[in-house]
Amino acid sequence: TVGPDVVDVRGLTATGRFTFDPGFMSTASCESKITYIDGDAGILLHRGYPIEQLAEKSDYLETCYLLLNGELPTAEQKAKFVSVIKNHTMVHEQLKSFFNGFRRDAHPMAIMCGVVGALSAFYHDSLDINNAQHREVSAMRLIAKMPTIAAMAYKYSMGQPMMYPRNDLNYAENFLHMMFNTPCEIKPISPVLAKAMDRIFVLHADHEQNASTSTVRLAGSSGANPFACIAAGIAALWGPAHGGANEAVLTMLDEIGSVENIDKFIAKAKDKNDPFKLMGFGHRVYKNRDPRATVMKKTCDEVLSELGITNDPQLQLAMRLEEIALTDPYFKERNLYPNVDFYSGIILKAIGIPTSMFTVIFALSRTVGWISHWKEMLSSPYKIGRPRQLYTGYDKRDYVKLEDRK
Ligand code: ACO
């Protein structure tokens, strides 16, 4: 026992004993110094710093440095970090061929799974996981190239030419530039929208052992290369119960259609015989308000006001849904608050990002969290992740010859 609520079972496996914990409701798979969450109190700290302060005062690349290195950078360290990231923003020209292999209507998350995994076929000089220098370079490459690959996936789906990164812009501005500018028309990027984008990146940067981060650690524990591990994380993130929720929120709002239909959908969400859930509500760990959702709501208000959006029917529907869910006893009793994905979907829509790109943006932001956990795991003694199971199948029985089977 290592604390009043923590039982350390290291060593017990030799006796054949194990815990049965479907969904890992109460199983810690690792030790980590990166992120702390108190779900009951609604607290999220990265390396000790509250997420609210990072969202307000920091920026994404500084937060990346913090997650990776454990401390906020000095001015000199920050400048060097930003410069190294900028040095890696382009992707190998031949990588473009991968995009052409996809249907134009392929979901961009399908493209991300494939293309990010394929990076391991291009960057052989950073694949040795036992070499600290290789681990560092692959981390920088992944953080730097994710916006480029994400924007390339979008441009491919639009049939537009892909845009090269611009290193005179900051991380968020450059992403918006590659998304929305074309070689024929280079428009300046709105600082308010770039700030909102950067904040979305910060708020999604890490969240300890969620499904995708645990997947990255599990893949990494077998010695897989970093690009393959991050591709595994992207796959795990895609599901609507995890990162796919931001896209699912907008799809749900489309389905609801208008305020008059809200009651019908709330009733569906409460019906235990109906698999429908109110997308963007609830969280495995937060049984209080998700602190990221609070910051996201504020950012949402700023973006809508900057863009002069006051009467978008879908946004009005979202706000009304939020009001109803926050006062309905079913949601109150179960502590089902709007989560970070509820508001991020609304902001992304307002910025003009298509719904199919929402989860891609989550993946882009979370890459630093995944890679920080992967690096942390590899920097200390670790074992291959190998959960046990509770077998509920047949007892031993003898093989039946084909002619004797009924
Ligand atoms: N709508 C309606 N009921 C819900 C919802 C919801 N969104 N979420 C949970 N509940 C209900 C459950 O049916 C259950 O009710 P019961 O006690 O009467 O059986 C109770 O609330 C507890 O929920 P669980 O499913 O046990 O909670 P769990 O921790 O397993 O699931 C999850 C958390 C997956 C996030 C869930 O709330 C959900 O599916 N939400 C919608 C999808 C979503 O927004 N996901 C994004 C999560 S945040 C992120 O990944 C960044």
Side-chain angles (χ1 to χ4, degrees):
T1 300
V2 295
D5 301 321
V6 181
V7 177
D8 188 334
V9 295
R10 272 177 292 198
L12 289 186
T13 45
T15 68
R17 290 163 69 186
F18 58 83
T19 53
F20 175 55
D21 183 15
F24 303 104
M25 297 290 284
S26 53
T27 297
S29 61
C30 62
E31 290 179 22
S32 179
K33 292 184 168 55
I34 301 172
T35 289
Y36 172 79
I37 303 175
D38 181 338
D40 293 329
I43 292 172
L44 169 61
L45 311 176
H46 290 322
R47 302 283 190 183
Y49 295 103
I51 188 66
E52 295 87 344
Q53 290 183 24
L54 293 172
E56 185 69 31
K57 298 175 183 168
S58 184
D59 58 57
Y60 182 65
L61 285 186
E62 187 177 77
T63 303
C64 289
Y65 184 99
L66 173 69
L67 289 168
L68 284 163
N69 300 299
E71 295 295 340
L72 286 167
T74 61
E76 196 185 330
Q77 287 167 332
K78 184 172 176 180
K80 185 164 174 234
F81 184 77
V82 170
S83 151
V84 171
I85 293 290
K86 287 189 172 179
N87 193 34
H88 286 295
T89 47
M90 290 212 292
V91 293
H92 195 291
E93 276 297 294
Q94 213 181 326
L95 203 73
K96 280 186 189 166
S97 325
F98 274 80
F99 289 85
N100 293 327
F102 286 95
R103 283 169 51 142
R104 288 273 174 198
D105 61 355
H107 194 288
M109 281 298 277
I111 299 182
M112 295 303 287
C113 289
V115 173
V116 173
L119 291 177
S120 36
F122 286 85
Y123 299 105
H124 297 133
D125 58 342
S126 60
L127 295 184
D128 181 358
I129 63 158
N130 297 315
N131 179 322
Q133 187 63 24
H134 280 218
R135 296 201 293 268
E136 185 63 23
V137 173
S138 57
M140 297 297 108
R141 281 184 167 146
L142 278 156
I143 295 165
K145 294 181 198 307
M146 282 298 274
T148 314
I149 296 170
M152 286 168 87
Y154 173 61
K155 288 295 196 191
Y156 181 74
S157 75
M158 298 289 286
Q160 288 183 2
M162 292 162 181
M163 298 295 287
Y164 284 103
R166 265 185 51 192
N167 287 349
D168 58 319
L169 301 175
N170 71 31
Y171 194 85
E173 287 169 341
N174 177 47
F175 176 61
L176 293 176
H177 157 74
M178 291 188 290
M179 283 286 292
F180 296 121
N181 280 334
T182 66
C184 314
E185 195 180 16
I186 305 285
K187 287 181 281 183
I189 305 298
S190 150
V192 174
L193 299 191
K195 182 72 208 159
M197 196 73 247
D198 191 79
R199 199 167 276 171
I200 288 179
F201 294 158
V202 172
L203 292 173
H204 286 92
D206 189 44
H207 213 233
E208 53 117 304
Q209 305 312 318
N210 51 79
S212 56
T213 305
S214 301
T215 300
V216 170
R217 278 198 182 243
L218 200 54
S221 76
S222 75
N225 76 66
F227 304 106
C229 293
I230 299 306
I234 293 172
L237 185 77
W238 193 357
H242 190 11
N246 51 14
E247 178 176 345
V249 169
L250 270 283
T251 309
M252 176 188 75
L253 292 176
D254 269 344
E255 259 178 65
I256 297 178
S258 69
V259 176
E260 299 82 68
N261 296 330
I262 287 183
D263 287 347
K264 199 172 83 197
F265 279 83
I266 295 266
K268 262 168 81 64
K270 294 179 191 175
D271 181 355
K272 294 293 154 201
N273 296 316
D274 191 323
F276 174 79
K277 282 191 172 172
L278 215 50
M279 286 294 132
F281 286 79
H283 198 277
R284 167 59 62 82
V285 183
Y286 293 114
K287 300 305 172 194
N288 199 322
R289 268 192 178 274
D290 175 344
R292 300 169 302 169
T294 310
V295 180
M296 204 66 99
K297 181 169 169 44
K298 194 167 154 257
T299 309
C300 185
D301 294 341
E302 283 165 18
V303 169
L304 298 186
S305 142
E306 157 76 8
L307 294 173
I309 299 175
T310 49
N311 56 0
D312 181 290
Q314 211 175 28
L315 300 178
Q316 283 172 346
L317 185 59
M319 296 309 158
R320 182 73 191 121
L321 191 65
E322 178 200 16
E323 256 171 52
I324 294 176
L326 286 176
T327 49
D328 187 298
Y330 172 93
F331 292 88
K332 286 177 80 172
E333 279 158 20
R334 290 170 179 74
N335 298 314
L336 298 171
Y337 294 97
N339 58 45
V340 67
D341 289 325
F342 184 72
Y343 299 108
S344 68
I346 298 170
I347 301 174
L348 292 172
K349 176 183 154 55
I351 292 179
I353 309 261
T355 317
S356 61
M357 283 295 290
F358 288 7
T359 313
V360 173
I361 286 171
F362 193 158
L364 184 173
S365 324
R366 184 55 58 84
T367 295
V368 67
W370 292 330
I371 206 81
S372 301
H373 283 273
W374 175 80
K375 281 184 80 193
E376 182 182 62
M377 181 181 74
L378 295 186
S379 313
S380 49
Y382 65 97
K383 279 179 175 294
I384 185 169
R386 189 7 178 132
R388 302 302 306 271
Q389 64 165 16
L390 192 59
Y391 177 70
T392 55
Y394 288 109
D395 284 344
K396 184 182 174 199
R397 52 188 181 151
D398 287 326
Y399 181 80
V400 182
K401 284 192 286 185
L402 185 61
E403 55 271 30
D404 294 342
R405 287 178 217 158
K406 300 198 179 75

